[in-house]
Amino acid sequence: MQMFLTSIIIFVTLLVQNTRPCDEDYQILNHQNKYQLFSSTKHGTYMIQSLMSVSEGGPCDRISIGGLIRVLAVKFAIETRKVATNLSIGYRIDDTCLNLPVTMNRGIEIINSHEQTTCLATNQNTCPTNHNVRKSNIFLAVIGGYFSFTTIPLSSLLSAYSIPQLSFGASSPLLSKRSLYKTTFRSIPSDESAVQALIDVVGKFGWTYIYVIGSDDEYGKIGVHLLKKHAAENDVCITGEMYIPFESKDTQRIAKEIALDMQKQENATVVVMFNYALKMGEYILQEASHLNLSRLYLTGEAWNPEVLSSANIPVEQLESVVTVSLEYGQPSQKFLDYVNETINSCYDKDIWLKQYIFQQSGCLVTSNDDFGRLTGKDLNNKTCEIESNDILQRILNDNPSQINNLIDLVDSVSNALDGFTSKNCPLSSIDCGTSIKPSQVSEALKAVDFQTRRGDPFKYDPNGNPVYVSYSIEQIQFDAVSGQHKYEQLGRWESQREKRLDIDKAMIRIPSWSGNEMPTSSCSEKCVAGEKITAKQRCCWKCERCPKGSISTEPNSLQCSPCTKGYHTKDFINCELTPIKHITLEDTIGLTTTIISCIGIVLMFLCLYLLRYLKETAIVKSMDVRFVASSTLLVLTSFCYTFLHLILPTNNICRVRNIFFHALLTLFSMVLLLKNRSVSRFISKFVNNKQSSTFAGALISAFILVLETAFILVWQFMESFPVTKTQANYEYFEECKLEFSLYRMLAFVLPFIITVIASVQSLSESHAKVQFGEYKFLHYTCLAFCIINVAHIITLNLVNNRYQVLVLLITTMSYGMFTWAV
């Protein structure tokens, strides 16, 4: 019984080994007796051709670790999708050795196979005979190539026969021209997107003056052309443009010339590079270090991971590198498990893996054990041993994340086949296997819309480019934990999202040569907030402070925005609400005049007390009680006029102030007139007793008051007396508008004439010999009033509203002070 079970286990094991995924046909192809290239095939109902660079070296005689990873990625994608879709998908993988003639030769073979299969399908007897071609061997899609220089001519050929070609690395914008490349699809975006991301990064840091270096090939020249186009659209100037060849005898010499030219453009501290890191960018950074150039290098996708391990690049230059790289994502654990299983199970069946192990170790493995060791014979027929984990670690160290784009391409073909067969093959997908055409797969590819194995959306736009694009903004930084330089992510750039560019500035390590801020790269000094750019000539300009009352909130603003009405700015950056003020006790004018008025009132009451105290004296007895009473009342009223200006001004308050002032002026002039002795004599000619004289004086006073009242009423009726705002010292001063109009002058002329008449009349009496020289003082008072009125008129027209108030108050207080003194 035990022997029977053992036999069953051995049989099942052999059966599984004989049907495992690594079983495939392989052959070695000669190309022009120069290259011996490997090819492997696994047949299925639906065949996919993969053309990729697997080998390396001059004669392409060694399998590279990157090439091996790409082969494993294609197999992994097909094998796992076969399970998911239940489709019989086969493949053929050919090494093209990154060689255009080899690539095109295989493309022609695909076309010949396609033509013969199409001819046989029409049952024509005139079809060319090719016994190596079967109907099931028609390739419905071609995966490859990686670089644009091989992809573009191959795409031209395949598009002519409507055979879909899918690239995971060709980024040339030329492939977006659908009229030329009708059946080209790719999982990598066009360089147009990369350049847009670069320009957005340039704009994010406010760089406007940059230097550009491109590789002297199609990649570099197209990249620089696109950059110049987008730079012009975004007001970014390119001050220098140079190209460097790849691995040429002139490469180092040209790198030195480029560094010398960069030195001349000292304001262009940001250098955008479209070239491969090693053998081009490496030399440029070396020469820049020799010249002690401090530059920040913004690079595109072409920079290779090997730059981190290069010992030839100085640290200060290496840490000044910022890249805009496609986000590939990390390799999935399922893929790593598949690779591990392939190494341990397919070491003797997978021609690519078997050849790689032999070339790396010289060991032709034939068996393995339970401890992950592969054993075999070396060239001397001696037993050799290889750790499978060593091979897996080499794959991990080679950054296999980039193969996610390749897996996405294969998945898009699988999804296209699945979608087509589910719609057109109601009974079985095998029914369509011999009749489906590559052109139908092309149409199906246009409609694919699925989630990648990383959970990201995937679909093609009308030009065959991926709709959803994500770039990683990274900087080379030193990692103290590992003791190595690494690419650290600073942010992301996305398409088909609400936010295109997001950079975490806290993650940036500012180069030591740039101080505490990221370097500025502009022809002219950066205009700060509160300034605007003026005298601009391309990317050079001058900075000018914003005009009064306007602001700019962003650096390098092209114009300043005026503050809205009721707002002002002190720093030319922020608009602040302008406070509205009027004369108050907190105001200097208000406080000072109030104190003076209060002093005047106190003095007036002291004077009255003194007169009462000295009422029996000759000087007091000689005074006319009527004039003392009227003068005292006017003096007190004139000092109280100040308090009227402490009230918030309105139209009605303005009217009251004007009436009050002119009433005071009229009463003062009338008192001065009636106090003249000549006026008394003039009245005595018409009356003979004292009572009638008093009545006549009252009659004259009434006439003057009525006439002045008429003038004032006409003035008040004809004018509006608005409240005006005057801006000064970042505040509005609100006060009644004062203008010497015709109507105001009418109200002013009568009291002024009366004051002049009083002055003239008092002149003849100023030397009269009366007790205490009363008329002499009256004459001087009349003259003082005339001078005050003239000064009042002149000064009031020379000052603004705030000081017009001060003139009015000084005038009224002067009336009071002079009258009090007399």
Side-chain angles (χ1 to χ4, degrees), residues 541-711:
W541 59 79
K542 293 181 181 179
C543 297
E544 183 180 273
R545 174 68 69 183
C546 286
K548 185 179 180 181
S550 61
I551 63 170
S552 65
T553 57
E554 298 292 334
N556 286 343
S557 295
L558 294 176
Q559 60 183 4
C560 299
S561 303
C563 293
T564 56
K565 189 176 181 180
Y567 287 80
H568 70 278
T569 178
K570 294 180 181 179
D571 56 7
F572 300 93
I573 300 174
N574 302 294
C575 289
E576 303 175 11
L577 183 65
T578 304
I580 301 175
K581 294 186 177 182
H582 62 282
I583 296 294
T584 63
L585 289 176
E586 297 177 355
D587 184 81
T588 303
I589 294 176
L591 180 61
T592 304
T593 54
T594 300
I595 292 174
I596 296 172
S597 296
C598 290
I599 292 173
I601 293 171
V602 171
L603 290 175
M604 194 67 234
F605 279 106
L606 288 175
C607 184
L608 289 174
Y609 176 78
L610 184 62
L611 290 175
R612 186 173 180 276
Y613 181 75
L614 300 173
K615 63 181 179 180
E616 299 299 329
T617 61
I619 188 172
V620 174
K621 288 181 178 181
S622 65
M623 291 182 178
D624 189 333
V625 177
R626 293 175 303 162
F627 288 108
V628 170
S630 61
S631 298
T632 301
L633 183 61
L634 283 174
V635 169
L636 291 174
T637 305
S638 66
F639 286 128
C640 290
Y641 179 68
T642 301
F643 305 128
L644 192 59
H645 281 272
L646 300 179
I647 303 173
L648 179 68
T650 63
N651 288 352
N652 291 330
I653 292 295
C654 291
R655 290 183 183 275
V656 172
R657 288 180 184 177
N658 282 290
I659 294 171
F660 197 114
F661 177 80
H662 283 268
L664 273 177
L665 179 60
T666 303
L667 290 172
F668 271 113
S669 62
M670 188 175 64
V671 168
L672 293 176
L673 178 66
L674 294 178
K675 199 171 182 181
N676 277 275
R677 189 166 57 178
S678 59
V679 175
S680 299
R681 287 197 301 267
F682 174 78
I683 295 173
S684 298
K685 291 180 181 180
F686 299 96
V687 296
N688 295 317
N689 56 66
K690 185 176 181 181
Q691 184 177 0
S692 298
S693 177
T694 302
F695 175 76
L699 190 63
I700 291 173
S701 298
F703 174 76
I704 293 172
L705 290 175
V706 170
L707 187 58
E708 180 64 17
T709 301
F711 288 144

Side-chain angles (χ1 to χ4, degrees), residues 346-396:
C346 302
Y347 54 86
D348 59 338
K349 294 290 185 181
D350 190 309
I351 185 60
W352 311 99
L353 176 61
K354 184 176 182 180
Q355 186 69 11
Y356 175 78
I357 295 173
F358 178 73
Q359 290 174 348
Q360 291 294 320
S361 63
C363 185
L364 189 63
V365 295
T366 55
S367 62
N368 68 341
D369 57 25
D370 296 334
F371 301 101
R373 287 190 293 264
L374 306 177
T375 58
K377 298 291 184 178
D378 62 13
L379 295 176
N380 297 320
N381 203 28
K382 293 182 179 181
T383 302
C384 53
E385 189 176 273
I386 303 295
E387 294 286 343
S388 61
N389 283 338
D390 291 344
I391 303 172
L392 181 62
Q393 192 59 46
R394 290 180 189 175
I395 291 175
L396 291 174

